[in-house]
Amino acid sequence: MRNPLRSETEAFRFLIAVIVGALVIVGAAYVDTWLGVAAAVLAVTGIGWWLRQEPVPGAGEPALRLASGTPRGTHRVLVVAPPGTDRVGLTNGATEVVVVVPALASTVEALTGGVDDRRTDAERTAGRLAAQIPNARARVGADDPALAVEDALREFGADEVVVAGDDEFVEAVRSRVTIPVRRG
């Protein structure tokens, strides 16, 4: 199911659908109470069906595979680590390093506003890791590790991605980029 409040246009369409449904319910209830109940059930079911049937924007498109455009003589490394990571194995020779820590939040945390706490954890981890690595900058990424890497590569253009985390974390990143990905 897609989020009807993701953009202003979608929120407006959702609001119009809810207003039309409410007017149908009020009109039906004015005629007969049970007709109003039936209209309410149909309106809620119809809006739910509409939200499930409408495709998520961009879901049908294949994932982009991003490549690097680094100038000669530099070796840029993108380090991706989950929150709470203490160390990352990084080989010598990196002239520029960006440490990205995704703000991983569960669905419940996203709905209850706990994302701010996850972002704080990610900021602390990114700062701590960047302080350990020469020429490193810290950055907090999106809650999806692969999306965090894509965003960072658009801005940074690394030659290599070093991922600290489990195999699933590494494969999520490896499937979305064309540059070398290794576990660190």
Side-chain angles (χ1 to χ4, degrees), residues 94-162:
T95 55
E96 295 178 53
V97 179
V98 171
V99 177
V100 176
V101 179
L104 302 174
S106 68
T107 305
V108 173
E109 288 172 327
L111 293 174
T112 60
V115 176
D116 294 337
D117 297 337
R118 297 303 127 234
R119 287 194 71 78
T120 302
D121 294 344
E123 287 171 0
R124 284 189 196 123
T125 301
R128 186 173 56 247
L129 291 174
Q132 296 172 4
I133 303 169
N135 303 322
R137 295 178 296 184
R139 182 165 182 242
V140 174
D143 62 346
D144 175 24
L147 183 59
V149 169
E150 285 181 5
D151 292 343
L153 285 175
R154 282 189 188 96
E155 294 176 14
F156 181 60
D159 297 313
E160 175 185 18
V161 179
V162 176

